[in-house]
């Protein structure tokens, strides 16, 4: 990849690299991208950012935020991306946990280039073996937010493994439309940076607009969650999805019906399995291979990744494993990590994921922990008790549902309305119960 200074420099901007970002009508690449990053870095230096500083920002898919992210990766600044759909209280909790400095990408003073001495000092710190690239929010089985510490090495190793498995070509362009507060979206950016590929940024999910982006920018790879497939299928009257080289589907179970339709449409659908703690992809089907639509496998392990199943639970070992959870003792990537997901490995070495060992609800590719939602509901006036669970949904996979026990003397309709308002103020939109009823116990 034309790296300078070894493995840990692969996330830096390089002269002559074909890496670029397409954001709307703008193409940011080459000297233009490098100069923009140097101005962002100059602004961060003036804010007092140093090697041990963690910056936090809302991970919007817009030009200022993406430039901030690229500038941080290039300089070796650790960052905490905050989900745009999370509530202010959820943001505040993560910011406090990480002791992060909040940065608003649109308010940076970009009037001056960075001082080379500051940049060299940051680069030296970023070359440390366990130098952190990002703290990415996840959730434990209790629903309490955790921050997975992902090193620069983890992102580079993961990018190289994905490139080797998918066989990237020189003309590949990857559409970045997933939230990059999640590692699945962030990894699209880091893969493009490491491999030197063009990344097309698409904000929001309007199926027609996504298809227009695919056609307009000659996109060859796209990552989606299963709930995005049906809307894309319904509007793809021009067969644009069949022009892709890879249609990567992960984040949740992909139903047989969706797989069958993809094969009927001659789409290059590839199912994948990954997790935040392993820096995204762990297994994936191989491009160009024949896939059984009735088989529910998530493919073979990527190069350098080991997967085993112990007592029905999937365990992973890879150099891309996290350094640990922020605030906990560091962990070694030589150890197997228990994912909490249930599954098996078939005779061909393919991973089949069957569900969670805890009671997480996966809705539209987002993980919702019932206990976390229950705590919010129980805190609302008039709610004596609450239970939260998932119910089947044809597009989202599961939908969040709740049963409430009202306090005596509180009308059920009023209790449900207060509970809805309280939950909306405290939780991300995808975690809100969509089906609510009151019961006696």
């Amino acid at each position: 990849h034309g790296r300078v200074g070894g493995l840990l420099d692969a996330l830096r901007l390089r002269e002559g690299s074909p890496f670029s970002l397409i954001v709307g009508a703008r193409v940011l690449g080459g000297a233009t991208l490098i100069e923009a990053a140097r101005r962002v870095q100059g602004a961060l230096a003036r804010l007092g950012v140093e090697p041990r500083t963690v910056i936090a920002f809302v991970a919007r898919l817009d030009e200022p935020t993406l430039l901030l992210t690229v500038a941080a990766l290039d300089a070796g600044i650790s960052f905490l991306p905050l989900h745009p759909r999370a509530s202010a209280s959820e943001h505040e909790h993560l910011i406090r946990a990480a002791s992060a400095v909040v940065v608003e990408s649109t308010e940076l003073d970009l009037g001056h280039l960075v001082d080379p001495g500051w940049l060299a000092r940051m680069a030296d710190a970023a070359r440390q073996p366990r130098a952190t690239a990002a703290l990415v929010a996840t959730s434990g089985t209790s629903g309490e937010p955790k921050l997975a510490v992902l090193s620069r090495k983890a992102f580079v190793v993961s990018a190289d493994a994905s490139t080797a498995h998918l066989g990237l070509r020189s003309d590949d362009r990857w559409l970045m439309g997933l939230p990059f507060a999640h590692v699945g979206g962030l990894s699209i950016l880091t893969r493009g940076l490491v491999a030197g590929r063009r990344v097309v940024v698409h904000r929001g999910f309007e199926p027609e607009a996504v298809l227009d982006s695919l056609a307009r920018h000659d996109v060859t790879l796209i990552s989606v969650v299963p709930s995005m497939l049906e809307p894309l299928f319904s509007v793809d009257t021009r067969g644009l999805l069949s022009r892709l080289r890879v249609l990567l589907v992960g984040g949740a179970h992909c139903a047989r019906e969706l797989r069958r339709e993809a094969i009927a449409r001659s789409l290059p659908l590839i199912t994948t399995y990954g997790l935040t703690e392993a820096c995204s992809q762990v297994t994936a089907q191989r491009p160009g291979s024949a896939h059984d639509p009735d088989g529910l496998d998530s493919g073979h392990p990527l190069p350098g990744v080991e997967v085993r199943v112990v007592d029905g639970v999937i365990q992973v070992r890879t150099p891309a494993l996290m350094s640990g959870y922020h605030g906990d003792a560091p962990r070694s990537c030589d150890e197997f990590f228990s994912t909490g997901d249930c599954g098996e490995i078939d005779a061909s070495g393919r991973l089949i994921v069957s569900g969670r060992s805890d009671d997480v609800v996966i809705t539209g590719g987002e993980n919702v922990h019932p206990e976390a939602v229950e705590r919010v509901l129980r805190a609302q006036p008039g709610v004596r008790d609450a239970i939260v669970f998932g119910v089947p949904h044809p597009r989202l996979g599961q939908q969040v549902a709740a049963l409430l026990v009202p306090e005596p003397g509180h009308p059920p309709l009023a209790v449900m309305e207060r509970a809805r308002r309280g939950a909306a103020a405290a939780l991300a939109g995808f975690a809100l119960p969509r089906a609510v009823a009151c019961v006696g116990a």
Side-chain angles (χ1 to χ4, degrees):
H1 302 309
R3 299 176 186 170
V4 178
L7 179 72
L8 301 183
D9 279 332
L11 293 173
R12 299 195 190 285
L13 294 168
R14 303 182 295 278
E15 295 284 353
S17 169
F19 169 72
S20 61
L21 293 170
I22 298 179
V23 189
R26 293 258 291 163
V27 178
L28 301 168
T32 300
L33 181 59
I34 292 175
E35 179 179 349
R38 296 291 175 260
R39 292 186 180 278
V40 173
Q41 290 159 353
L44 294 174
R46 290 189 294 277
L47 288 176
V49 172
E50 290 294 332
R52 292 186 179 275
T53 304
V54 177
I55 65 171
F57 53 84
V58 178
R60 294 182 292 264
L61 286 168
D62 58 22
E63 182 176 326
T65 310
L66 288 161
L67 283 175
L68 173 59
T69 309
V70 171
L73 288 166
D74 176 73
I77 302 167
S78 303
F79 60 91
L80 165 62
L82 302 169
H83 202 304
R85 290 167 57 192
S87 66
S89 61
E90 289 172 315
H91 284 177
E92 290 167 7
H93 176 85
L94 295 174
I95 291 165
R96 285 197 304 270
S99 300
V101 175
V102 179
V103 174
E104 174 49 63
S105 59
T106 59
E107 297 177 1
L108 293 174
D109 176 9
L110 305 180
H112 302 281
L113 296 173
V114 67
D115 174 65
W118 179 90
L119 196 59
R121 188 166 69 253
M122 299 297 293
D124 286 342
R127 289 192 179 95
Q128 298 302 311
R130 297 180 74 90
T132 299
L135 306 178
V136 180
T138 182
S139 292
T141 55
S142 67
E144 290 296 329
K146 294 184 178 182
L147 293 173
V149 181
L150 299 175
S151 68
R152 294 174 67 80
K153 176 183 176 182
F155 276 104
V156 176
V157 169
S158 177
D160 282 344
S162 177
T163 296
H165 196 83
L166 299 179
L168 287 193
R169 304 186 313 211
S170 60
D171 62 343
D172 273 332
R173 295 182 176 191
W174 206 314
L175 187 80
M176 182 179 177
L178 297 174
F180 73 99
H182 292 323
V183 75
L186 179 56
S187 290
I188 296 172
L189 182 63
T190 54
R191 287 173 201 150
L193 187 54
V194 170
R197 295 295 186 274
R198 182 162 285 189
V199 175
V200 179
V201 180
H202 186 90
R203 187 175 184 178
F205 180 67
E206 302 81 24
E208 296 89 348
V210 170
L211 294 177
D212 286 343
S213 286
L214 298 185
R216 186 166 62 253
H217 300 296
D218 297 321
V219 169
T220 59
L221 300 100
I222 181 174
S223 294
V224 300
V225 295
S227 61
M228 299 166 72
L229 284 177
E230 188 177 347
L232 286 171
F233 290 167
S234 67
V235 300
D236 185 21
T237 58
R238 294 175 286 169
L240 295 174
L241 293 172
S242 64
R243 302 181 192 176
L244 293 168
R245 194 173 70 80
V246 174
L247 172 58
L248 208 61
V249 183
H253 169 73
C254 186
R256 284 186 175 92
E257 291 73 16
L258 293 173
R259 295 177 184 229
R260 288 171 181 164
E261 182 162 357
I263 289 178
R265 290 170 174 256
S266 300
L267 304 184
L269 186 145
I270 290 176
T271 55
T272 181
Y273 168 74
L275 57 152
T276 302
E277 291 88 345
C279 211
S280 193
Q281 284 182 353
V282 170
T283 68
Q285 294 176 327
R286 294 191 175 105
S289 301
H291 303 308
D292 177 7
D294 292 324
L296 297 178
D297 71 279
S298 296
H300 292 86
L302 271 60
V305 178
E306 298 175 74
V307 178
R308 70 184 186 186
V309 176
V310 178
D311 296 329
V313 178
I314 300 166
Q315 297 185 352
V316 174
R317 180 163 66 183
T318 165
L321 269 178
M322 66 175 180
S323 305
Y325 292 115
H326 184 69
D328 291 355
R331 61 174 293 122
S332 170
C333 62
D334 294 330
E335 305 169 5
F336 273 94
F337 175 77
S338 182
T339 65
D341 293 316
C342 298
E344 60 182 291
I345 298 173
D346 70 10
S348 300
R350 297 171 300 189
L351 179 66
I352 300 170
V353 183
S354 56
R356 288 287 298 175
S357 59
D358 56 44
D359 61 351
V360 70
V361 178
I362 302 178
T363 177
E366 301 282 1
N367 288 356
V368 177
H369 289 271
E371 290 186 11
V373 182
E374 288 166 1
R375 280 196 294 271
V376 171
L377 294 175
R378 288 176 185 138
Q380 305 311 312
V383 177
R384 185 174 190 175
D385 202 357
I387 187 169
V388 172
F389 49 94
V391 295
H393 188 277
R395 183 172 62 84
L396 300 174
Q398 287 182 298
Q399 179 176 260
V400 182
L403 295 177
L404 307 177
V405 179
E407 293 281 4
H410 288 261
L413 289 178
V415 168
M416 287 192 289
E417 180 58 28
R418 284 196 297 266
R420 289 182 195 275
R421 288 201 303 267
L427 299 169
F430 56 77
L432 298 178
R434 301 298 176 184
V436 182
C438 282
V439 293

